[in-house]
PDB file of all heavy atoms in Angstrom:
ATOM      1  N   GLY A 217       0.787  -1.227   0.000  1.00  0.00           N
ATOM      2  CA  GLY A 217       0.000   0.000   0.000  1.00  0.00           C
ATOM      3  C   GLY A 217       0.819   1.277   0.000  1.00  0.00           C
ATOM      4  O   GLY A 217       0.288   2.363  -0.237  1.00  0.00           O
ATOM      5  N   GLY A 218       2.113   1.175   0.253  1.00  0.00           N
ATOM      6  CA  GLY A 218       2.946   2.368   0.268  1.00  0.00           C
ATOM      7  C   GLY A 218       4.351   2.059   0.729  1.00  0.00           C
ATOM      8  O   GLY A 218       4.753   0.890   0.813  1.00  0.00           O
ATOM      9  N   VAL A 219       5.084   3.094   1.029  1.00  0.00           N
ATOM     10  CA  VAL A 219       6.469   2.956   1.471  1.00  0.00           C
ATOM     11  C   VAL A 219       6.677   3.818   2.716  1.00  0.00           C
ATOM     12  O   VAL A 219       6.257   4.982   2.756  1.00  0.00           O
ATOM     13  CB  VAL A 219       7.459   3.395   0.363  1.00  0.00           C
ATOM     14  CG1 VAL A 219       8.891   3.344   0.884  1.00  0.00           C
ATOM     15  CG2 VAL A 219       7.307   2.509  -0.864  1.00  0.00           C
ATOM     16  N   LEU A 220       7.308   3.242   3.720  1.00  0.00           N
ATOM     17  CA  LEU A 220       7.668   3.979   4.927  1.00  0.00           C
ATOM     18  C   LEU A 220       9.138   4.360   4.835  1.00  0.00           C
ATOM     19  O   LEU A 220      10.006   3.498   4.705  1.00  0.00           O
ATOM     20  CB  LEU A 220       7.441   3.113   6.168  1.00  0.00           C
ATOM     21  CG  LEU A 220       7.959   3.689   7.498  1.00  0.00           C
ATOM     22  CD1 LEU A 220       7.191   4.950   7.871  1.00  0.00           C
ATOM     23  CD2 LEU A 220       7.863   2.646   8.613  1.00  0.00           C
ATOM     24  N   ALA A 221       9.422   5.670   4.880  1.00  0.00           N
ATOM     25  CA  ALA A 221      10.800   6.159   4.866  1.00  0.00           C
ATOM     26  C   ALA A 221      11.183   6.567   6.283  1.00  0.00           C
ATOM     27  O   ALA A 221      10.571   7.462   6.868  1.00  0.00           O
ATOM     28  CB  ALA A 221      10.944   7.344   3.923  1.00  0.00           C
ATOM     29  N   THR A 222      12.173   5.901   6.849  1.00  0.00           N
ATOM     30  CA  THR A 222      12.659   6.207   8.190  1.00  0.00           C
ATOM     31  C   THR A 222      13.957   7.003   8.070  1.00  0.00           C
ATOM     32  O   THR A 222      14.939   6.513   7.510  1.00  0.00           O
ATOM     33  CB  THR A 222      12.910   4.921   8.989  1.00  0.00           C
ATOM     34  OG1 THR A 222      11.717   4.136   8.998  1.00  0.00           O
ATOM     35  CG2 THR A 222      13.321   5.238  10.410  1.00  0.00           C
ATOM     36  N   VAL A 223      13.937   8.228   8.594  1.00  0.00           N
ATOM     37  CA  VAL A 223      15.069   9.146   8.436  1.00  0.00           C
ATOM     38  C   VAL A 223      15.780   9.324   9.775  1.00  0.00           C
ATOM     39  O   VAL A 223      15.141   9.626  10.790  1.00  0.00           O
ATOM     40  CB  VAL A 223      14.589  10.509   7.911  1.00  0.00           C
ATOM     41  CG1 VAL A 223      15.772  11.445   7.682  1.00  0.00           C
ATOM     42  CG2 VAL A 223      13.787  10.333   6.617  1.00  0.00           C
ATOM     43  N   HIS A 224      17.091   9.120   9.757  1.00  0.00           N
ATOM     44  CA  HIS A 224      17.892   9.234  10.978  1.00  0.00           C
ATOM     45  C   HIS A 224      19.062  10.166  10.693  1.00  0.00           C
ATOM     46  O   HIS A 224      19.867   9.916   9.794  1.00  0.00           O
ATOM     47  CB  HIS A 224      18.408   7.858  11.403  1.00  0.00           C
ATOM     48  CG  HIS A 224      19.315   7.894  12.593  1.00  0.00           C
ATOM     49  ND1 HIS A 224      18.918   8.370  13.823  1.00  0.00           N
ATOM     50  CD2 HIS A 224      20.617   7.520  12.745  1.00  0.00           C
ATOM     51  CE1 HIS A 224      19.924   8.278  14.681  1.00  0.00           C
ATOM     52  NE2 HIS A 224      20.965   7.781  14.056  1.00  0.00           N
ATOM     53  N   GLU A 225      19.154  11.263  11.465  1.00  0.00           N
ATOM     54  CA  GLU A 225      20.241  12.214  11.230  1.00  0.00           C
ATOM     55  C   GLU A 225      21.557  11.691  11.809  1.00  0.00           C
ATOM     56  O   GLU A 225      21.607  11.235  12.960  1.00  0.00           O
ATOM     57  CB  GLU A 225      19.936  13.585  11.830  1.00  0.00           C
ATOM     58  CG  GLU A 225      21.016  14.611  11.508  1.00  0.00           C
ATOM     59  CD  GLU A 225      20.676  16.030  11.905  1.00  0.00           C
ATOM     60  OE1 GLU A 225      19.584  16.236  12.480  1.00  0.00           O
ATOM     61  OE2 GLU A 225      21.494  16.933  11.647  1.00  0.00           O
ATOM     62  N   ILE A 226      22.622  11.786  11.016  1.00  0.00           N
ATOM     63  CA  ILE A 226      23.945  11.317  11.442  1.00  0.00           C
ATOM     64  C   ILE A 226      24.994  12.422  11.257  1.00  0.00           C
ATOM     65  O   ILE A 226      26.179  12.122  11.131  1.00  0.00           O
ATOM     66  CB  ILE A 226      24.361  10.053  10.657  1.00  0.00           C
ATOM     67  CG1 ILE A 226      24.361  10.327   9.142  1.00  0.00           C
ATOM     68  CG2 ILE A 226      23.457   8.886  10.996  1.00  0.00           C
ATOM     69  CD1 ILE A 226      24.989   9.214   8.328  1.00  0.00           C
ATOM     70  N   THR A 227      24.543  13.679  11.262  1.00  0.00           N
ATOM     71  CA  THR A 227      25.459  14.792  11.000  1.00  0.00           C
ATOM     72  C   THR A 227      26.640  14.802  11.960  1.00  0.00           C
ATOM     73  O   THR A 227      27.798  14.890  11.539  1.00  0.00           O
ATOM     74  CB  THR A 227      24.716  16.139  11.084  1.00  0.00           C
ATOM     75  OG1 THR A 227      23.641  16.145  10.139  1.00  0.00           O
ATOM     76  CG2 THR A 227      25.650  17.302  10.780  1.00  0.00           C
ATOM     77  N   GLN A 228      26.368  14.710  13.256  1.00  0.00           N
ATOM     78  CA  GLN A 228      27.455  14.773  14.235  1.00  0.00           C
ATOM     79  C   GLN A 228      28.410  13.604  14.088  1.00  0.00           C
ATOM     80  O   GLN A 228      29.623  13.750  14.286  1.00  0.00           O
ATOM     81  CB  GLN A 228      26.873  14.833  15.656  1.00  0.00           C
ATOM     82  CG  GLN A 228      26.123  16.122  15.961  1.00  0.00           C
ATOM     83  CD  GLN A 228      26.951  17.365  15.703  1.00  0.00           C
ATOM     84  OE1 GLN A 228      28.130  17.443  16.088  1.00  0.00           O
ATOM     85  NE2 GLN A 228      26.376  18.354  15.042  1.00  0.00           N
ATOM     86  N   LYS A 229      27.891  12.446  13.736  1.00  0.00           N
ATOM     87  CA  LYS A 229      28.742  11.276  13.524  1.00  0.00           C
ATOM     88  C   LYS A 229      29.670  11.501  12.338  1.00  0.00           C
ATOM     89  O   LYS A 229      30.879  11.233  12.422  1.00  0.00           O
ATOM     90  CB  LYS A 229      27.874  10.043  13.284  1.00  0.00           C
ATOM     91  CG  LYS A 229      28.629   8.771  12.941  1.00  0.00           C
ATOM     92  CD  LYS A 229      27.668   7.599  12.796  1.00  0.00           C
ATOM     93  CE  LYS A 229      28.398   6.309  12.430  1.00  0.00           C
ATOM     94  NZ  LYS A 229      28.935   6.339  11.049  1.00  0.00           N
ATOM     95  N   VAL A 230      29.124  12.006  11.237  1.00  0.00           N
ATOM     96  CA  VAL A 230      29.930  12.248  10.037  1.00  0.00           C
ATOM     97  C   VAL A 230      30.993  13.312  10.307  1.00  0.00           C
ATOM     98  O   VAL A 230      32.167  13.150   9.954  1.00  0.00           O
ATOM     99  CB  VAL A 230      29.037  12.668   8.852  1.00  0.00           C
ATOM    100  CG1 VAL A 230      29.882  13.137   7.672  1.00  0.00           C
ATOM    101  CG2 VAL A 230      28.139  11.512   8.426  1.00  0.00           C
ATOM    102  N   LEU A 231      30.587  14.410  10.957  1.00  0.00           N
ATOM    103  CA  LEU A 231      31.543  15.481  11.253  1.00  0.00           C
ATOM    104  C   LEU A 231      32.632  14.983  12.200  1.00  0.00           C
ATOM    105  O   LEU A 231      33.816  15.295  12.022  1.00  0.00           O
ATOM    106  CB  LEU A 231      30.823  16.683  11.868  1.00  0.00           C
ATOM    107  CG  LEU A 231      29.787  17.401  11.012  1.00  0.00           C
ATOM    108  CD1 LEU A 231      29.248  18.623  11.754  1.00  0.00           C
ATOM    109  CD2 LEU A 231      30.363  17.812   9.665  1.00  0.00           C
ATOM    110  N   GLY A 232      32.217  14.206  13.209  1.00  0.00           N
ATOM    111  CA  GLY A 232      33.190  13.698  14.177  1.00  0.00           C
ATOM    112  C   GLY A 232      34.218  12.790  13.528  1.00  0.00           C
ATOM    113  O   GLY A 232      35.422  12.917  13.789  1.00  0.00           O
ATOM    114  N   GLU A 233      33.773  11.882  12.668  1.00  0.00           N
ATOM    115  CA  GLU A 233      34.700  10.970  11.992  1.00  0.00           C
ATOM    116  C   GLU A 233      35.608  11.735  11.040  1.00  0.00           C
ATOM    117  O   GLU A 233      36.802  11.425  10.929  1.00  0.00           O
ATOM    118  CB  GLU A 233      33.900   9.907  11.240  1.00  0.00           C
ATOM    119  CG  GLU A 233      33.194   8.924  12.164  1.00  0.00           C
ATOM    120  CD  GLU A 233      32.349   7.914  11.404  1.00  0.00           C
ATOM    121  OE1 GLU A 233      32.167   8.093  10.172  1.00  0.00           O
ATOM    122  OE2 GLU A 233      31.870   6.949  12.034  1.00  0.00           O
ATOM    123  N   ARG A 234      35.051  12.717  10.354  1.00  0.00           N
ATOM    124  CA  ARG A 234      35.842  13.514   9.412  1.00  0.00           C
ATOM    125  C   ARG A 234      36.937  14.297  10.141  1.00  0.00           C
ATOM    126  O   ARG A 234      38.092  14.336   9.694  1.00  0.00           O
ATOM    127  CB  ARG A 234      34.898  14.465   8.665  1.00  0.00           C
ATOM    128  CG  ARG A 234      35.534  15.257   7.553  1.00  0.00           C
ATOM    129  CD  ARG A 234      34.463  15.974   6.759  1.00  0.00           C
ATOM    130  NE  ARG A 234      33.932  17.141   7.437  1.00  0.00           N
ATOM    131  CZ  ARG A 234      32.801  17.763   7.080  1.00  0.00           C
ATOM    132  NH1 ARG A 234      32.087  17.295   6.077  1.00  0.00           N
ATOM    133  NH2 ARG A 234      32.382  18.832   7.731  1.00  0.00           N
ATOM    134  N   ARG A 235      36.586  14.898  11.244  1.00  0.00           N
ATOM    135  CA  ARG A 235      37.556  15.694  11.991  1.00  0.00           C
ATOM    136  C   ARG A 235      38.596  14.814  12.683  1.00  0.00           C
ATOM    137  O   ARG A 235      39.776  15.186  12.746  1.00  0.00           O
ATOM    138  CB  ARG A 235      36.811  16.570  13.003  1.00  0.00           C
ATOM    139  CG  ARG A 235      35.976  17.650  12.329  1.00  0.00           C
ATOM    140  CD  ARG A 235      34.995  18.300  13.272  1.00  0.00           C
ATOM    141  NE  ARG A 235      34.224  19.339  12.581  1.00  0.00           N
ATOM    142  CZ  ARG A 235      33.183  19.973  13.114  1.00  0.00           C
ATOM    143  NH1 ARG A 235      32.798  19.688  14.351  1.00  0.00           N
ATOM    144  NH2 ARG A 235      32.533  20.899  12.409  1.00  0.00           N
ATOM    145  N   LEU A 236      38.165  13.671  13.174  1.00  0.00           N
ATOM    146  CA  LEU A 236      39.117  12.742  13.787  1.00  0.00           C
ATOM    147  C   LEU A 236      40.135  12.267  12.765  1.00  0.00           C
ATOM    148  O   LEU A 236      41.333  12.165  13.062  1.00  0.00           O
ATOM    149  CB  LEU A 236      38.374  11.552  14.390  1.00  0.00           C
ATOM    150  CG  LEU A 236      39.239  10.494  15.082  1.00  0.00           C
ATOM    151  CD1 LEU A 236      40.006  11.111  16.248  1.00  0.00           C
ATOM    152  CD2 LEU A 236      38.375   9.335  15.561  1.00  0.00           C
ATOM    153  N   SER A 237      39.668  12.017  11.547  1.00  0.00           N
ATOM    154  CA  SER A 237      40.576  11.601  10.481  1.00  0.00           C
ATOM    155  C   SER A 237      41.593  12.692  10.173  1.00  0.00           C
ATOM    156  O   SER A 237      42.780  12.411   9.959  1.00  0.00           O
ATOM    157  CB  SER A 237      39.771  11.263   9.215  1.00  0.00           C
ATOM    158  OG  SER A 237      40.623  10.938   8.148  1.00  0.00           O
ATOM    159  N   ALA A 238      41.153  13.952  10.177  1.00  0.00           N
ATOM    160  CA  ALA A 238      42.062  15.065   9.910  1.00  0.00           C
ATOM    161  C   ALA A 238      43.117  15.190  11.002  1.00  0.00           C
ATOM    162  O   ALA A 238      44.309  15.375  10.723  1.00  0.00           O
ATOM    163  CB  ALA A 238      41.266  16.368   9.790  1.00  0.00           C
ATOM    164  N   VAL A 239      42.692  15.081  12.262  1.00  0.00           N
ATOM    165  CA  VAL A 239      43.627  15.180  13.385  1.00  0.00           C
ATOM    166  C   VAL A 239      44.615  14.020  13.357  1.00  0.00           C
ATOM    167  O   VAL A 239      45.815  14.197  13.604  1.00  0.00           O
ATOM    168  CB  VAL A 239      42.859  15.211  14.722  1.00  0.00           C
ATOM    169  CG1 VAL A 239      43.825  15.117  15.897  1.00  0.00           C
ATOM    170  CG2 VAL A 239      42.029  16.486  14.826  1.00  0.00           C
ATOM    171  N   ARG A 240      44.120  12.836  13.016  1.00  0.00           N
ATOM    172  CA  ARG A 240      44.984  11.660  12.949  1.00  0.00           C
ATOM    173  C   ARG A 240      46.047  11.833  11.857  1.00  0.00           C
ATOM    174  O   ARG A 240      47.223  11.522  12.060  1.00  0.00           O
ATOM    175  CB  ARG A 240      44.155  10.410  12.680  1.00  0.00           C
ATOM    176  CG  ARG A 240      44.968   9.116  12.711  1.00  0.00           C
ATOM    177  CD  ARG A 240      44.111   7.909  12.362  1.00  0.00           C
ATOM    178  NE  ARG A 240      43.037   7.717  13.333  1.00  0.00           N
ATOM    179  CZ  ARG A 240      41.742   7.813  13.042  1.00  0.00           C
ATOM    180  NH1 ARG A 240      41.352   8.113  11.814  1.00  0.00           N
ATOM    181  NH2 ARG A 240      40.833   7.605  13.977  1.00  0.00           N
ATOM    182  N   GLU A 241      45.615  12.346  10.690  1.00  0.00           N
ATOM    183  CA  GLU A 241      46.565  12.551   9.598  1.00  0.00           C
ATOM    184  C   GLU A 241      47.600  13.602   9.974  1.00  0.00           C
ATOM    185  O   GLU A 241      48.791  13.447   9.693  1.00  0.00           O
ATOM    186  CB  GLU A 241      45.830  12.975   8.325  1.00  0.00           C
ATOM    187  CG  GLU A 241      46.770  13.172   7.140  1.00  0.00           C
ATOM    188  CD  GLU A 241      46.056  13.638   5.882  1.00  0.00           C
ATOM    189  OE1 GLU A 241      44.812  13.778   5.910  1.00  0.00           O
ATOM    190  OE2 GLU A 241      46.740  13.879   4.870  1.00  0.00           O
ATOM    191  N   LEU A 242      47.150  14.660  10.616  1.00  0.00           N
ATOM    192  CA  LEU A 242      48.075  15.718  11.024  1.00  0.00           C
ATOM    193  C   LEU A 242      49.094  15.180  12.023  1.00  0.00           C
ATOM    194  O   LEU A 242      50.289  15.484  11.936  1.00  0.00           O
ATOM    195  CB  LEU A 242      47.293  16.877  11.639  1.00  0.00           C
ATOM    196  CG  LEU A 242      48.094  18.111  12.038  1.00  0.00           C
ATOM    197  CD1 LEU A 242      48.813  18.702  10.836  1.00  0.00           C
ATOM    198  CD2 LEU A 242      47.185  19.159  12.667  1.00  0.00           C
ATOM    199  N   SER A 243      48.629  14.368  12.968  1.00  0.00           N
ATOM    200  CA  SER A 243      49.525  13.786  13.970  1.00  0.00           C
ATOM    201  C   SER A 243      50.529  12.853  13.310  1.00  0.00           C
ATOM    202  O   SER A 243      51.723  12.872  13.639  1.00  0.00           O
ATOM    203  CB  SER A 243      48.702  13.033  15.011  1.00  0.00           C
ATOM    204  OG  SER A 243      49.540  12.387  15.944  1.00  0.00           O
ATOM    205  N   THR A 244      50.060  12.042  12.371  1.00  0.00           N
ATOM    206  CA  THR A 244      50.946  11.082  11.706  1.00  0.00           C
ATOM    207  C   THR A 244      51.983  11.786  10.847  1.00  0.00           C
ATOM    208  O   THR A 244      53.179  11.464  10.888  1.00  0.00           O
ATOM    209  CB  THR A 244      50.116  10.125  10.827  1.00  0.00           C
ATOM    210  OG1 THR A 244      49.181   9.425  11.654  1.00  0.00           O
ATOM    211  CG2 THR A 244      51.022   9.121  10.129  1.00  0.00           C
ATOM    212  N   ARG A 245      51.545  12.787  10.085  1.00  0.00           N
ATOM    213  CA  ARG A 245      52.444  13.461   9.155  1.00  0.00           C
ATOM    214  C   ARG A 245      53.402  14.421   9.850  1.00  0.00           C
ATOM    215  O   ARG A 245      54.409  14.826   9.258  1.00  0.00           O
ATOM    216  CB  ARG A 245      51.640  14.215   8.097  1.00  0.00           C
ATOM    217  CG  ARG A 245      50.860  13.327   7.133  1.00  0.00           C
ATOM    218  CD  ARG A 245      50.384  14.123   5.949  1.00  0.00           C
ATOM    219  NE  ARG A 245      51.512  14.727   5.255  1.00  0.00           N
ATOM    220  CZ  ARG A 245      51.386  15.774   4.421  1.00  0.00           C
ATOM    221  NH1 ARG A 245      50.221  16.317   4.207  1.00  0.00           N
ATOM    222  NH2 ARG A 245      52.455  16.278   3.836  1.00  0.00           N
ATOM    223  N   SER A 246      53.101  14.783  11.091  1.00  0.00           N
ATOM    224  CA  SER A 246      53.981  15.735  11.784  1.00  0.00           C
ATOM    225  C   SER A 246      55.387  15.180  11.966  1.00  0.00           C
ATOM    226  O   SER A 246      56.349  15.940  12.090  1.00  0.00           O
ATOM    227  CB  SER A 246      53.377  16.111  13.143  1.00  0.00           C
ATOM    228  OG  SER A 246      53.333  14.980  13.995  1.00  0.00           O
ATOM    229  N   PHE A 247      55.517  13.842  11.952  1.00  0.00           N
ATOM    230  CA  PHE A 247      56.834  13.237  12.109  1.00  0.00           C
ATOM    231  C   PHE A 247      57.708  13.451  10.878  1.00  0.00           C
ATOM    232  O   PHE A 247      58.920  13.242  10.922  1.00  0.00           O
ATOM    233  CB  PHE A 247      56.690  11.740  12.407  1.00  0.00           C
ATOM    234  CG  PHE A 247      56.124  11.447  13.761  1.00  0.00           C
ATOM    235  CD1 PHE A 247      54.795  11.086  13.908  1.00  0.00           C
ATOM    236  CD2 PHE A 247      56.906  11.561  14.892  1.00  0.00           C
ATOM    237  CE1 PHE A 247      54.264  10.832  15.158  1.00  0.00           C
ATOM    238  CE2 PHE A 247      56.393  11.297  16.153  1.00  0.00           C
ATOM    239  CZ  PHE A 247      55.064  10.934  16.291  1.00  0.00           C
ATOM    240  N   GLU A 248      57.100  13.858   9.753  1.00  0.00           N
ATOM    241  CA  GLU A 248      57.868  14.121   8.539  1.00  0.00           C
ATOM    242  C   GLU A 248      58.699  15.395   8.667  1.00  0.00           C
ATOM    243  O   GLU A 248      59.727  15.542   8.017  1.00  0.00           O
ATOM    244  CB  GLU A 248      56.924  14.269   7.339  1.00  0.00           C
ATOM    245  CG  GLU A 248      56.056  13.056   7.058  1.00  0.00           C
ATOM    246  CD  GLU A 248      55.041  13.342   5.965  1.00  0.00           C
ATOM    247  OE1 GLU A 248      55.153  14.417   5.325  1.00  0.00           O
ATOM    248  OE2 GLU A 248      54.140  12.514   5.743  1.00  0.00           O
ATOM    249  N   ALA A 249      58.246  16.326   9.491  1.00  0.00           N
ATOM    250  CA  ALA A 249      58.871  17.647   9.559  1.00  0.00           C
ATOM    251  C   ALA A 249      60.194  17.606  10.308  1.00  0.00           C
ATOM    252  O   ALA A 249      60.302  16.986  11.370  1.00  0.00           O
ATOM    253  CB  ALA A 249      57.925  18.633  10.226  1.00  0.00           C
ATOM    254  N   LYS A 250      61.190  18.281   9.759  1.00  0.00           N
ATOM    255  CA  LYS A 250      62.504  18.382  10.394  1.00  0.00           C
ATOM    256  C   LYS A 250      62.805  19.804  10.863  1.00  0.00           C
ATOM    257  O   LYS A 250      63.751  20.024  11.610  1.00  0.00           O
ATOM    258  CB  LYS A 250      63.592  17.939   9.414  1.00  0.00           C
ATOM    259  CG  LYS A 250      63.381  16.534   8.836  1.00  0.00           C
ATOM    260  CD  LYS A 250      63.319  15.469   9.926  1.00  0.00           C
ATOM    261  CE  LYS A 250      63.122  14.087   9.326  1.00  0.00           C
ATOM    262  NZ  LYS A 250      62.943  13.053  10.368  1.00  0.00           N
ATOM    263  N   THR A 251      61.999  20.764  10.395  1.00  0.00           N
ATOM    264  CA  THR A 251      62.195  22.166  10.759  1.00  0.00           C
ATOM    265  C   THR A 251      60.842  22.780  11.108  1.00  0.00           C
ATOM    266  O   THR A 251      59.784  22.188  10.844  1.00  0.00           O
ATOM    267  CB  THR A 251      62.812  22.968   9.603  1.00  0.00           C
ATOM    268  OG1 THR A 251      61.885  22.973   8.492  1.00  0.00           O
ATOM    269  CG2 THR A 251      64.132  22.346   9.154  1.00  0.00           C
ATOM    270  N   VAL A 252      60.869  23.979  11.676  1.00  0.00           N
ATOM    271  CA  VAL A 252      59.625  24.691  11.993  1.00  0.00           C
ATOM    272  C   VAL A 252      58.845  24.969  10.714  1.00  0.00           C
ATOM    273  O   VAL A 252      57.631  24.750  10.643  1.00  0.00           O
ATOM    274  CB  VAL A 252      59.936  26.006  12.735  1.00  0.00           C
ATOM    275  CG1 VAL A 252      58.669  26.831  12.908  1.00  0.00           C
ATOM    276  CG2 VAL A 252      60.569  25.719  14.085  1.00  0.00           C
ATOM    277  N   LYS A 253      59.544  25.442   9.686  1.00  0.00           N
ATOM    278  CA  LYS A 253      58.881  25.713   8.404  1.00  0.00           C
ATOM    279  C   LYS A 253      58.302  24.424   7.830  1.00  0.00           C
ATOM    280  O   LYS A 253      57.192  24.410   7.275  1.00  0.00           O
ATOM    281  CB  LYS A 253      59.884  26.323   7.418  1.00  0.00           C
ATOM    282  CG  LYS A 253      59.298  26.647   6.038  1.00  0.00           C
ATOM    283  CD  LYS A 253      58.220  27.702   6.126  1.00  0.00           C
ATOM    284  CE  LYS A 253      57.841  28.268   4.754  1.00  0.00           C
ATOM    285  NZ  LYS A 253      57.266  27.269   3.845  1.00  0.00           N
ATOM    286  N   GLY A 254      59.031  23.327   7.971  1.00  0.00           N
ATOM    287  CA  GLY A 254      58.537  22.047   7.485  1.00  0.00           C
ATOM    288  C   GLY A 254      57.267  21.624   8.205  1.00  0.00           C
ATOM    289  O   GLY A 254      56.337  21.088   7.588  1.00  0.00           O
ATOM    290  N   ALA A 255      57.208  21.867   9.504  1.00  0.00           N
ATOM    291  CA  ALA A 255      56.011  21.531  10.278  1.00  0.00           C
ATOM    292  C   ALA A 255      54.815  22.351   9.810  1.00  0.00           C
ATOM    293  O   ALA A 255      53.693  21.839   9.707  1.00  0.00           O
ATOM    294  CB  ALA A 255      56.271  21.768  11.762  1.00  0.00           C
ATOM    295  N   CYS A 256      55.058  23.624   9.520  1.00  0.00           N
ATOM    296  CA  CYS A 256      53.988  24.485   9.017  1.00  0.00           C
ATOM    297  C   CYS A 256      53.496  24.004   7.652  1.00  0.00           C
ATOM    298  O   CYS A 256      52.287  23.973   7.388  1.00  0.00           O
ATOM    299  CB  CYS A 256      54.469  25.931   8.915  1.00  0.00           C
ATOM    300  SG  CYS A 256      54.808  26.700  10.514  1.00  0.00           S
TER     301      CYS A 256
END
């Protein structure tokens, strides 16, 4: 007789995972730097 659409917001989950990934990459790549300019 029809279709039931169940909508669940996951904005905070997506933003949290995205930002955690950025922080993780920054932390990992920071070991590449040998100088202050390199770190920047």
Side-chain angles (χ1 to χ4, degrees):
V219 176
L220 172 65
T222 305
V223 183
H224 176 60
E225 184 172 2
I226 58 170
T227 302
Q228 293 306 315
K229 175 177 179 290
V230 171
L231 297 184
E233 290 177 350
R234 186 171 76 195
R235 292 166 180 172
L236 181 61
S237 176
V239 172
R240 185 183 298 116
E241 181 182 358
L242 184 59
S243 176
T244 300
R245 292 194 58 200
S246 65
F247 290 102
E248 301 173 9
K250 305 301 181 185
T251 64
V252 173
K253 180 63 167 63
C256 293

